Amino acid sequence: MTSTVQETLPISGIPRTGLPAHAIVVGDPARAAAVAGLLDDAKEVSYHREYRTFTGTWQGLPVVVSSHGVGAPGALCLFQELAEAGVTHFIRLGTAGAIRPGVGDGDLVVADAAVRDDGVTQQLIPAEYPAFAAPEAVLALQRAARAAKAPYHRGVVWTRAAFRPGFLPLPADAYERAGIAAIEMELSALYVFASTRGLLAGGALVVDGANADELVDEEATGGYDPHRAVVADGVTRGARITLDALRLLAAEDAGLPAQRTP
């Protein structure tokens, strides 16, 4: 009996081969659709569980936009399958809660590195291994943010597996004193995966809550509201910045001037 290879990958349902090399990964399937709406020739190529994937072009660059859901373990499944399908450059466009004073709602945080409190990478590689962005990605995001005249910050972020506080104390005060910029749930897994596979990754996070007390106060966390105009505007701005950063990276790889086309 002749065996056949499935044409799609089992977790995300994306094509097994042939995706563009440059990808934006987001948490929310609806956000993936919104980012895809900015592209030319956008088409949905798969939608399985929380994994919704589109392809299209941005300023002539073929790109993938794909959602990974909430939490690092499931997100890692997507990152692995995207890499298998041909993606080599990843930027996560997500949302985050601000920790560092001066980081405001709707601002963009360009993440140089991440604290590995993600609940999955500890099972893959020793805890001493760092979660770090590719410098090229950080500089491309910074350049794109400056060109857009967008409020942005650089720094280390805290990737934490649990969304709401439980019974254990959190080191939020220590991380604030250490200058951690923001908290989110998936980025360290992307950084560890990419760096251990020789891939390029960066992260751009839109702040959807600028009160560090929410990290330790369950009542305050219950008042968390990411569905505000300042956040929506920041995400739309962040999507364009992230797409421009991918274009800058592609131009750098090709040794071409990264001029925006009309």
Side-chain angles (χ1 to χ4, degrees):
M1 185 174 180
T2 303
S3 62
T4 59
V5 177
Q6 289 183 326
E7 294 181 356
T8 59
L9 290 165
I11 305 299
S12 64
I14 62 176
R16 187 170 290 275
T17 60
L19 288 184
H22 296 79
I24 293 179
V25 290
V26 301
D28 184 359
R31 182 171 298 150
V35 176
L38 301 173
L39 303 178
D40 295 324
D41 304 317
K43 66 176 182 178
E44 185 173 321
V45 297
S46 68
Y47 194 172
H48 183 61
R49 299 185 179 184
E50 64 266 46
Y51 308 111
R52 189 177 190 184
T53 301
F54 298 83
T55 58
T57 61
W58 175 257
Q59 299 293 322
L61 175 70
V63 297
V64 181
V65 181
S66 193
S67 64
H68 51 64
V70 176
L76 184 59
C77 293
L78 176 71
F79 306 151
Q80 291 167 333
E81 293 198 346
L82 285 173
E84 185 173 343
V87 173
T88 58
H89 294 59
F90 296 78
I91 296 181
R92 167 162 150 70
L93 172 65
T95 52
I99 296 179
R100 191 167 71 202
V103 179
D105 284 336
D107 289 2
L108 194 70
V109 174
V110 177
D112 296 294
V115 176
R116 285 179 49 203
D117 190 18
D118 53 59
V120 65
T121 60
Q122 298 88 338
Q123 298 181 15
L124 304 178
I125 197 164
E128 293 81 5
Y129 188 90
F132 58 93
E136 304 96 314
V138 172
L139 294 176
L141 285 164
Q142 177 174 274
R143 181 177 169 188
R146 287 176 173 171
K149 296 181 171 54
Y152 81 96
H153 313 264
R154 278 181 56 179
V156 179
V157 302
W158 176 11
T159 300
R160 177 170 165 79
F163 177 74
R164 294 183 181 275
F167 297 101
L168 298 176
L170 302 181
D173 289 342
Y175 281 153
E176 182 177 352
R177 292 197 304 273
I180 295 291
I183 181 170
E184 57 88 61
M185 299 182 70
E186 297 87 17
L187 192 57
S188 65
L190 175 59
Y191 283 1
V192 168
F193 171 72
S195 62
T196 56
R197 298 299 193 279
L199 305 173
L200 185 149
L205 306 170
V206 178
V207 173
D208 64 1
N211 182 359
D213 291 339
E214 293 178 357
L215 300 174
V216 294
D217 184 337
E218 184 147 1
E219 183 177 347
T221 304
Y224 163 70
D225 179 15
H227 307 294
R228 293 171 289 140
V230 65
V231 178
D233 292 346
V235 169
T236 300
R237 183 170 58 240
R240 293 180 178 276
I241 288 168
T242 303
L243 287 163
D244 278 343
L246 286 177
R247 182 178 50 80
L248 291 169
L249 289 169
E252 181 177 286
D253 287 347
L256 301 173
Q259 297 297 322
R260 185 180 180 92
T261 56

